[in-house]
Amino acid sequence: MNYTRPKADAVIIGLGWAGSLMAEELTRAGLNVVAIERGPWEQTQTNFSPAIAADELRYGVRREILKPPRVETLTFRNDSSQKALPARDWNAFQMGYSVGGAGKHWAANAWRFNPSDFEMATRLRDRYHNMKLADGLIVQDWGVSYAELEPFYDRVEKIAGISGKAGVINGVTQSGGNPFEGSRSSEYPTPPLIRSHWNDKFHQITEKMGFHPFPIPAGTIGAPYTNPLGVNLAPCTYCGYCGFYGCGNWSKSSPNVCVIPALMDRTNFTLLTECTALYIDKAEDGKTVSGVTFRDSDGNTGFQPADIVCLSAYQLDNVRLLLLSKIGKAYDPVTGEGTLGRAYNYQTMSMGYLYYENEHMNPFISTGALSTQIDDFNGDNFDHSGLGFLGGAGIQALSDQGTPLSMTDRLPPGSKMWGSAWKKTFQKSYQNYAKIQGQGTSYSHRDSYLSLDPNYKDENGQPLLRLTFDYNQNDRLMARFIRDRIEDICKVSGATSWETEAFPDKHNSPFRAYDSSHTIGGAVMGLDPATSVLNRYQQHWDAHNLFVLGASSYPNNGGYNPTITLSALTLWTAHAIVNDYLKNPGSLVR
Amino acid sequence: MKRRSFIKAGLILAGTGTAASIFTPAGAAERKNVLNGGKIWRAKETPLPTPADPTQRLFFNEREYALVTAIFDRLIPADELSVSASQAGCVVFIDNQLAGDYGKAKWKYNQGPFENGTESQGNQSPYSPAEIYRKGLQELDTHCTRLFNKSFTELSHDMQDAYLEKMESGEFTYPTFNSEVLFGQFLANVQEGFLADPIYGGNRNMVGWRMIGFPGARYDYRDYAPLKGQKLNIEPISIIQLLKA
Ligand SMILES: Cc1cc2nc3c(=O)[nH]c(=O)nc-3n(C[C@H](O)[C@H](O)[C@H](O)COP(=O)(O)OP(=O)(O)OC[C@H]3O[C@@H](n4cnc5c(N)ncnc54)[C@H](O)[C@@H]3O)c2cc1C
Ligand code: SF4
């Protein structure tokens, strides 16, 4: 230990969406807050100005604003009989590495989860009367309901300026939106963007098939907008340099643009950048934690004491930091005991790749989340009786990427990948390629978990996180079902050729293309300390002044991207801290 | 647990409790990485991209330059759609890339032990792109000469294509690399050179972008978004023009 900093009321580890929203709530409540962030502070006008932002090589391919594996990566294996090896090069999980975290370079698909996603154990009992499921599948309720989260979803969407069209407001179905969504208390703050040609086609096709297409909600701002924190956001310009890039326009919702400008004005907020949290310190009383030990960019070790510790370092890093801090009991897959690292889950994808003739898709006019979706087969929106699996997927026509290097291999099956033949095929497919994505739920399983790696270490000499994961039978059945629904759409789509696939038909590999960054679970919330690390307020069962924020809390994944839900959960927890915990520190489950 | 500072202070700026040894290292303070609300925050500048200079050779020797030119020009040959890869600057591009951070694989996790692992575990190679080119080109050269008594550069286009096809399907094993891996490296880089912004030395006159109708480093399509299913013929622009503007 080289130095101790002045004590804070609360310390926050990691300043992505979760950390910055927590900082906003706690500083507004008057607390003295210190945030510790591994990367530097970055802002739109200095770091992503439109003069340099449109650079596919730099950001899309070399991925300059993401966390380099050199700094810290994870090790991976499909099952516990294998030796885990480190992810050496870029792979599917693209982590944040500066103020704003991954919320700076996300693609901004801005979803709420389905009400059913939070209470699948209850559904299984009540709707399906204990239907036979895959052996070892973990199905449990989150302990918080959609209705309880709704006000916080609403607040997050307003802070982020989400564009979209409501499907259900106060129980009343609205035309043009998603009729399956949980009831909302208000319309989206900004309108949906102009649909792409492919979005329109998909809309027509699926509507004819009797489904219910709608424009998806997105953190790509639909109109000039001032958020509740007084920040002005500008309309998205469809530049297409979106997911993997910072937005040069103040048009993509990010912590940097939507929240941090407010924090910069608050004198009770301090941010330590380029400081990496090494572990959370346990207090002598055995019931609390006392602060955070970190390493600064000079290589010195500092201690930040605080009354409250909020861990919001991203799902994987949250679990790793808890393991490194030895807080909670690590999961043992042999005995099934321990909760920390248990219930890791992912996103189960199915895809359709389509090729048309003479469509002029103009794929360069796009955003990270320009998509039309049907939710007829998502979550528990359809009857699963006799299907033998839980969950489903949103099926979407996604116009998210038109930058050329990302599309050089989007060619009909069997095409030559080089030479004059490639040039001709690529020229044609660039304008005629379309993609259907089935973004599916994921349920955790006894055999998939997170632990510390015994062999490999990070830059600071601490063990890397080890991920043991493969798709389970529920994932496989669900994904094939969705792939067949995608195939149904392809057949009537008017495409000249297409291919469909269910990702779980192969072993999971974080290194294959077209996957997601949505890693979930490992430090989950719940009602029972035997099967969860956190209680329903994301408060640690074993240390009542430690709150863990992020997708690490989800015992299962919805058929959606995770960020708006983890942001809403953060506000739900902040609300409990401010209104209850401060007055009466101790377990919030009373 | 002791009474909490925020409780004592009635929820306003409780702050400094016991600070045994408060110490802010000079370096860290100078770099302004303690940011306080209410004071000005300044982000570090992001450096502008450095334009590649086509007259400078930074990484390849003569032999390597000739080999890469021959290989790249089969992967992207001159035809009615465009000039060849080397004419588009793709060799200049990769020469520059290999001399920089990319060549050194600065982003990569490079701690041992190195083991091969399962297919799911991805690329475990210890080699940087610069090492892959240096070793790989040499091994390819030796292999090709042994096979045909001629260097790759001296083969006919048809023979070069046939050789590359076998490389692509992994039929050759060089001492250090499987040919499929080496082929994949070349193909990825030649496409980068052909389709990345011209500031990096390739895609000369935006020839790659023109081929497919991509408008380049444009940042605003609001006027075009409503024109669906139409050919738009938008003149591409490069970051070079944006930086000059
Ligand atoms: C390319 C891409 C596209 C995506 N698209 C979508 C999308 O469309 N929709 C969606 O919902 N989600 C998307 N996601 C996922 C989304 O970005 C994450 O769910 C979200 O950003 C997580 O927020 P967070 O606050 O939990 O963590 P993060 O945003 O990851 O923030 C964590 C912060 O903690 C810091 N940190 C980590 N470890 C330490 C440490 N030891 N000490 C100090 N600081 C530390 C990190 O630097 C980071 O800034 C995408 C992700 C990627 C990579
Ligand atoms: S597509 Fe829109 S939101 Fe995304 S980077 Fe471009 S302007 Fe920003």
Side-chain angles (χ1 to χ4, degrees):
Chain A
M1 184 80 54
N2 298 98
Y3 59 99
T4 297
R5 287 187 39 85
K7 187 171 179 190
D9 294 332
V11 58
I12 294 174
I13 304 173
L15 212 61
W17 273 117
S20 59
L21 287 167
M22 181 54 83
E24 197 282 315
E25 290 282 334
L26 297 186
T27 50
R28 195 154 38 81
L31 267 61
N32 188 15
V33 174
V34 175
I36 298 177
E37 166 56 50
R38 161 146 58 192
W41 150 239
E42 287 181 350
Q43 62 181 160
T44 297
Q45 61 272 35
T46 310
N47 303 102
F48 332 118
S49 91
I52 58 164
D55 189 338
E56 185 180 19
L57 186 73
R58 184 175 197 172
Y59 300 111
V61 182
R62 306 280 186 254
R63 300 183 177 177
E64 192 175 295
I65 61 173
L66 317 190
K67 179 170 80 180
R70 168 181 48 77
V71 171
E72 179 216 323
T73 185
L74 53 76
T75 67
F76 178 78
R77 58 182 179 177
N78 280 128
D79 65 70
S80 45
S81 72
Q82 299 172 344
K83 181 181 176 190
L85 294 182
R88 297 192 174 278
D89 210 336
W90 292 116
N91 57 74
F93 313 144
Q94 307 297 348
M95 266 75 92
Y97 189 46
S98 60
V99 170
K104 199 180 53 192
H105 62 256
W106 71 324
N109 299 265
W111 293 101
R112 299 178 176 202
F113 277 17
N114 269 346
S116 64
D117 291 322
F118 299 98
E119 44 177 41
M120 260 308 166
T122 304
R123 288 270 173 146
L124 182 61
R125 210 177 46 237
D126 296 352
R127 187 173 181 189
Y128 302 114
H129 310 297
N130 296 312
M131 180 165 79
K132 175 93 184 93
L133 295 175
D135 197 28
L137 199 71
I138 296 172
V139 184
Q140 60 193 60
D141 291 350
W142 299 34
V144 62
S145 69
Y146 173 83
E148 285 170 312
L149 278 186
E150 204 288 328
F152 305 103
Y153 268 132
D154 188 66
R155 169 95 180 156
V156 171
E157 286 167 354
K158 292 195 161 96
I159 288 174
I162 304 302
S163 66
K165 177 77 198 82
V168 183
I169 299 180
N170 297 326
V172 182
T173 306
Q174 315 284 309
S175 77
N178 174 12
F180 298 101
E181 74 183 2
S183 181
R184 305 166 48 86
S185 54
S186 66
E187 184 48 275
Y188 284 95
T190 69
L193 300 176
I194 300 169
R195 316 279 80 210
S196 71
H197 182 51
W198 169 231
N199 285 179
D200 283 349
K201 272 183 97 75
F202 181 86
H203 191 111
Q204 286 153 14
I205 297 160
T206 52
E207 199 163 50
K208 237 184 247 161
M209 294 173 81
F211 302 135
H212 301 84
F214 61 93
I216 75 159
T220 50
I221 313 301
Y225 175 72
T226 305
N227 83 0
L229 304 177
V231 185
N232 293 321
L233 305 174
C236 166
T237 60
Y238 308 83
C239 79
Y241 295 93
C242 203
F244 290 136
Y245 303 79
C247 176
N249 278 341
W250 296 80
S251 309
K252 182 161 76 176
S253 320
S254 70
N256 310 57
V257 161
C258 301
V259 187
I260 292 159
L263 295 176
M264 291 165 75
D265 288 338
R266 299 197 182 150
T267 52
N268 53 341
F269 181 68
T270 303
L271 169 59
L272 311 181
T273 57
E274 298 175 51
C275 291
T276 301
L278 300 176
Y279 49 85
I280 297 161
D281 295 70
K282 289 198 246 192
E284 275 166 19
D285 65 8
K287 284 181 290 193
T288 56
V289 292
S290 58
V292 177
T293 297
F294 62 91
R295 179 150 307 156
D296 68 25
S297 52
D298 293 316
N300 290 313
T301 308
F303 177 59
Q304 176 62 59
D307 286 332
I308 293 177
V309 175
C310 296
L311 175 55
S312 50
Y314 183 72
Q315 178 266 339
L316 294 168
D317 280 305
N318 284 352
V319 178
R320 178 169 179 259
L321 281 168
L322 289 172
L323 286 164
L324 290 172
S325 312
K326 300 192 167 62
I327 299 171
K329 188 168 178 212
Y331 172 66
D332 179 344
V334 177
T335 62
E337 280 169 30
T339 52
L340 181 55
R342 175 184 174 272
Y344 171 84
N345 59 98
Y346 190 43
Q347 189 102 63
T348 313
M349 310 292 277
S350 309
M351 305 290 293
Y353 314 104
L354 302 84
Y355 300 91
Y356 285 89
E357 291 287 333
N358 302 319
E359 282 294 342
H360 300 294
M361 295 287 184
N362 293 322
F364 45 87
I365 302 177
S366 69
T367 83
L370 196 59
S371 180
T372 292
Q373 172 152 322
I374 57 167
D375 253 356
D376 302 64
F377 301 106
N378 207 347
D380 200 30
N381 295 345
F382 57 107
D383 187 358
H384 287 65
S385 302
L387 292 177
F389 68 85
L390 294 175
I395 298 179
Q396 55 180 200
L398 183 53
S399 297
D400 63 336
Q401 203 99 86
T403 48
L405 285 169
S406 67
M407 292 183 69
T408 54
D409 58 354
R410 311 279 172 102
L411 312 175
S415 300
K416 199 163 155 64
M417 303 305 284
W418 51 279
S420 283
W422 169 74
K423 289 168 72 177
K424 278 198 200 77
T425 320
F426 181 43
Q427 187 185 48
K428 185 170 166 198
S429 70
Y430 181 71
Q431 279 295 349
N432 291 291
Y433 166 80
K435 168 169 77 183
I436 299 177
Q437 179 167 288
Q439 177 165 245
T441 53
S442 168
Y443 285 84
S444 43
H445 190 273
R446 193 177 52 204
D447 297 341
S448 293
Y449 63 103
L450 296 164
S451 51
L452 291 177
D453 191 275
N455 302 307
Y456 294 95
K457 296 189 164 37
D458 73 0
E459 247 181 6
N460 289 321
Q462 292 188 295
L464 295 180
L465 191 69
R466 177 174 65 183
L467 168 56
T468 305
F469 178 72
D470 211 343
Y471 298 109
N472 60 55
Q473 184 64 4
N474 193 79
D475 297 335
R476 278 191 284 270
L477 291 175
M478 184 282 289
R480 285 176 197 154
F481 176 84
I482 294 299
R483 178 203 53 206
D484 293 346
R485 304 290 76 74
I486 294 174
E487 185 78 27
D488 295 342
I489 298 171
C490 290
K491 280 183 187 146
V492 297
S493 67
T496 43
S497 68
W498 65 85
E499 246 184 317
T500 56
E501 68 170 328
F503 274 31
D505 280 343
K506 296 197 181 107
H507 287 299
N508 176 264
S509 168
F511 308 95
R512 64 179 296 182
Y514 310 116
D515 220 322
S516 94
S517 294
H518 307 150
T519 58
I520 306 294
V524 311
M525 61 195 294
L527 294 166
D528 179 0
T531 55
S532 58
V533 171
L534 314 172
N535 67 23
R536 66 192 294 262
Y537 298 102
Q538 301 187 97
Q539 180 184 37
H540 205 290
W541 286 114
D542 299 345
H544 65 72
N545 64 342
L546 172 60
F547 297 85
V548 185
L549 315 167
S552 43
S553 298
Y554 306 3
N556 57 285
N557 199 4
Y560 303 104
N561 315 59
T563 308
I564 296 298
T565 295
L566 71 87
S567 300
L569 279 170
T570 298
L571 297 189
W572 152 259
T573 294
H575 188 83
I577 294 175
V578 171
N579 293 307
D580 188 345
Y581 187 78
L582 294 184
K583 290 179 202 124
N584 190 6
S587 173
L588 286 162
V589 183
R590 304 183 210 270
Chain B
M1 190 178 168
K2 290 205 193 87
R3 271 173 62 80
R4 310 178 149 267
S5 53
F6 51 76
I7 297 169
K8 274 188 278 186
L11 292 191
I12 29 162
L13 305 195
T16 33
T18 46
S21 61
I22 297 172
F23 169 71
T24 312
E30 239 164 50
R31 278 199 301 280
K32 294 192 170 60
N33 56 10
V34 179
L35 303 169
N36 292 298
K39 297 195 183 132
I40 290 175
W41 294 19
R42 280 210 183 81
K44 284 183 191 168
E45 292 284 334
T46 295
L48 302 178
T50 329
D53 177 355
T55 64
Q56 297 283 312
R57 184 87 46 92
L58 301 178
F59 178 79
F60 291 133
N61 60 36
E62 286 302 321
R63 181 84 207 110
E64 291 166 342
Y65 202 92
L67 264 174
V68 172
T69 304
I71 294 165
F72 277 20
D73 281 350
R74 293 322 297 156
L75 298 178
I76 302 183
D79 56 21
E80 70 278 12
L81 292 186
S82 79
V83 296
S84 74
S86 64
Q87 288 164 330
C90 297
V91 187
V92 172
F93 165 84
I94 191 60
D95 184 53
N96 270 263
Q97 290 288 308
L98 293 175
D101 285 356
Y102 171 73
K104 298 183 192 84
K106 274 196 118 168
W107 73 94
K108 239 173 101 165
Y109 180 80
N110 230 13
Q111 297 187 31
F114 287 87
E115 290 176 29
N116 277 334
T118 68
E119 208 182 311
S120 304
Q121 290 175 316
N123 184 0
Q124 293 292 328
S125 157
Y127 299 109
S128 67
E131 289 165 332
I132 294 174
Y133 272 81
R134 189 117 291 155
K135 269 183 194 290
L137 285 171
Q138 207 242 317
E139 292 181 2
L140 178 151
D141 205 18
T142 310
H143 176 260
C144 196
T145 313
R146 202 173 294 148
L147 210 62
F148 301 110
N149 246 331
K150 272 185 188 170
S151 158
F152 185 85
T153 50
E154 296 160 345
L155 300 179
S156 70
H157 284 174
D158 285 350
M159 285 180 77
Q160 288 179 330
D161 287 354
Y163 185 88
L164 289 171
E165 258 159 34
K166 290 202 173 125
M167 255 186 102
E168 184 185 22
S169 59
E171 263 179 58
F172 305 141
T173 308
Y174 308 125
T176 315
F177 305 96
N178 176 287
S179 64
E180 198 183 345
V181 172
L182 199 58
F183 180 90
Q185 180 80 36
F186 294 153
L187 184 61
N189 294 143
V190 76
Q191 290 180 344
E192 284 168 7
F194 198 63
L195 295 161
D197 196 280
I199 200 160
Y200 299 109
N203 195 8
R204 217 168 268 164
N205 300 319
M206 299 178 275
V207 58
W209 291 348
R210 288 180 206 280
M211 184 179 94
I212 55 171
F214 177 69
R218 290 189 179 268
Y219 218 68
D220 191 350
Y221 292 113
R222 277 173 295 179
D223 291 343
Y224 295 100
L227 308 175
K228 302 179 193 183
Q230 297 175 31
K231 198 165 194 299
L232 296 178
N233 299 317
I234 306 170
E235 180 64 16
I237 52 171
S238 149
I239 291 173
I240 304 171
Q241 290 151 282
L242 296 175
L243 291 179
K244 279 185 193 147

